Amino acid sequence: MQDDIIIVGAGPAGLSLANSLAGHGLSIALVERQSLEQLEAPEFDGREIALTHRSVGILNGLSVWPELAAEAAPMREARVLNGASPFALTFDSGQAIEGLLGWLVPNHAIRRALYRAVLSRPDVRIVTGAEAAAVHTRASGAELRLRDGRSLRGRLLVAADSRMSAVRDMLGISAHIRRTGRAMLVCRMEHDGDHARTATEWFDHGQTLALLPLNGRMSSAVITLPSHEAERLMALGTEAFEAEMERRFAHRMGRMRLASSRHLYPLTITWSRHFAATRAALVGDAAVGMHPVTAHGFNLGLLGQHGLARQVLRAARRGGDPGAEGPLKRYEALHRLACRPLYDATNALVALYTRESPVARLARPAVLRLGQRLPLARRGIGALLAQR
């Protein structure tokens, strides 16, 4: 049996792509190493995804946004703080739709909604408990061999299996991988203070802090620290952890109470040298693994799968080959153009606000104040964050 499209990885990017391609006369195999039960009921993983207007539009087109809207928390502003300075650089979205920068939605809820949508697609078959062992691509097609001995053949193979993609490696596509030696701790915190629907980012000495506004007096707390320090914080008892969080957030939100499980993620940044190859393409984190500070990793992944689906379906509608070189090259060129400026700008921002050299310490407050004095630039960044 041969499929038209084989997608490896049933995370948000892979699930979105399967939904985007479904209903157009193509046969799609979605391969995932997790069990069917894990896909049906993904557990809370601490991550809250900041969705832009463009991403919400894509999810609405996939018929999953109505299910997610009930859990979404609207975000009106974002502000950036440096150390103990009271000065804040504030971004809004100008004339944004509904006056919002975007919405915060739990990652596990997005995965659940996308999986339910895939289940309604008769042209998508899901292969669970399966792990890639080898891939072979040639002009005539692609083959995926699984560790259990099975083989799948198709006209296009898509890697959607994380920023440390095994399929990317098997395809011979190199990537720039930067292991930062830092880790990101995420959890939900209740607090006495009002977040006013504003996302706040603190660049402080030795740590980066963020509070993302959820519904009610609750926020997603994100702390990026050297790995050993993050592990120490993770291991604290509840009362000690709450006290430490209040201290680290400089008591800005008053009393803080742990409202969820805690989760720790090693921080690795990746950029693939190519997003496409013969009979193959990369989407999501397999293509670009962003630093979380600008909260655009998921949005770029969603945009990428949307772009790939558009190129593949355009070729299929014209009676062409969905895995041909032309559509894949167009996808690669357009997605690299969309990702590279934000990837480079994010890395430059992180470098400036995490270095502890005297020059960097002097430059940080100056950069924030310069941004505040340039309203056109500030509004432009707000529009970029909103991505209408």
Side-chain angles (χ1 to χ4, degrees):
M1 177 180 179
Q2 176 165 304
D3 297 286
D4 290 306
I5 315 290
I6 302 168
I7 303 169
V8 183
L15 289 166
S16 298
L17 181 60
N19 276 298
S20 294
L21 293 171
H24 296 278
L26 298 172
S27 59
I28 303 152
L30 182 59
V31 180
E32 170 58 40
R33 65 180 178 180
Q34 290 189 98
S35 68
L36 189 62
E37 292 74 21
Q38 289 173 305
L39 287 179
E40 289 175 341
E43 296 181 352
F44 174 77
D45 62 9
R47 290 176 289 190
E48 308 287 342
I49 305 300
L51 294 173
T52 64
H53 291 275
R54 182 186 295 168
S55 292
V56 168
I58 292 172
L59 292 172
N60 202 34
L62 298 178
S63 302
V64 299
W65 178 246
E67 178 180 339
L68 295 171
E71 297 187 60
M75 182 172 60
R76 300 192 181 280
E77 280 188 351
R79 61 178 181 164
V80 181
L81 300 170
N82 177 51
S85 171
F87 176 80
L89 175 58
T90 302
F91 299 104
D92 60 36
S93 53
Q95 301 299 315
I97 302 167
E98 302 177 30
L100 299 177
L101 272 177
W103 292 263
L104 288 155
V105 182
N107 184 59
H108 75 285
I110 296 173
R111 294 171 66 104
R112 184 183 62 225
L114 287 169
Y115 174 73
R116 289 176 179 174
V118 164
L119 284 181
S120 68
R121 308 289 195 176
D123 45 0
V124 180
R125 66 188 182 97
I126 305 174
V127 182
T128 57
E131 191 171 351
V135 300
H136 300 282
T137 58
R138 55 188 70 84
S140 58
E143 180 183 5
L144 170 69
R145 294 182 183 174
L146 303 178
R147 293 202 181 277
D148 62 10
R150 289 178 292 172
S151 289
L152 286 76
R153 293 177 175 82
R155 295 199 282 174
L156 174 63
L157 174 69
V158 181
D161 57 335
S162 85
R163 63 187 63 195
M164 303 305 291
S165 170
V167 174
R168 180 184 63 210
D169 293 342
M170 294 173 193
L171 288 167
I173 299 175
S174 63
H176 179 262
I177 299 174
R178 184 163 65 89
R179 293 176 173 85
T180 66
R182 302 173 75 83
M184 181 177 70
L185 189 154
V186 291
C187 63
R188 289 180 174 181
M189 300 292 295
E190 292 179 338
H191 42 72
D192 293 342
D194 183 4
H195 51 51
R197 299 288 180 195
T198 298
T200 304
E201 188 105 26
W202 284 275
F203 291 103
D204 205 355
H205 301 306
Q207 62 180 3
T208 302
L209 312 172
L211 279 179
L212 308 178
L214 304 178
N215 293 320
R217 297 208 172 203
M218 184 182 295
S219 294
S220 172
V222 185
I223 302 186
T224 304
L225 294 163
S227 296
H228 69 278
E229 182 66 11
E231 290 165 3
R232 184 195 68 80
L233 189 59
M234 184 79 175
L236 291 177
T238 299
E239 289 187 8
F241 178 79
E242 291 172 345
E244 180 100 349
M245 293 291 278
E246 289 177 19
R247 181 187 67 79
R248 287 183 179 272
F249 283 95
H251 305 280
R252 292 176 185 268
M253 302 304 291
R255 177 85 170 89
M256 300 181 76
R257 295 166 293 279
L258 183 62
S260 75
S261 52
R262 289 171 267 178
H263 300 264
L264 193 64
Y265 297 97
L267 190 53
T268 302
I269 315 303
T270 61
W271 175 269
S272 297
R273 303 297 185 187
H274 295 283
F275 295 174
T278 301
R279 295 283 173 186
L282 313 181
V283 296
D285 282 353
V288 183
M290 291 281 290
H291 192 288
V293 69
T294 53
H296 266 321
F298 181 94
N299 295 296
L300 286 177
L302 198 59
L303 181 65
Q305 68 78 29
H306 181 70
L308 177 60
R310 184 167 52 189
Q311 296 298 332
V312 167
L313 294 177
R314 180 181 296 172
R317 282 194 297 268
R318 295 174 177 174
D321 186 341
E325 182 180 21
L328 299 184
K329 279 188 173 295
R330 285 191 293 273
Y331 156 70
E332 177 173 33
L334 291 171
H335 195 45
R336 288 173 76 87
L337 186 63
C339 293
R340 192 79 218 198
L342 192 56
Y343 178 84
D344 287 342
T346 298
N347 289 340
L349 180 72
V350 170
L352 175 63
Y353 283 91
T354 56
R355 287 176 184 157
E356 294 300 325
S357 68
V359 173
R361 290 190 182 189
L362 286 172
R364 288 198 282 260
V367 168
L368 290 187
R369 292 187 180 277
L370 179 62
Q372 190 69 29
R373 291 176 186 144
L374 297 173
L376 288 177
R378 193 172 68 254
R379 285 197 296 271
I381 294 172
L384 176 64
L385 292 172
Q387 279 197 352
R388 295 192 291 272

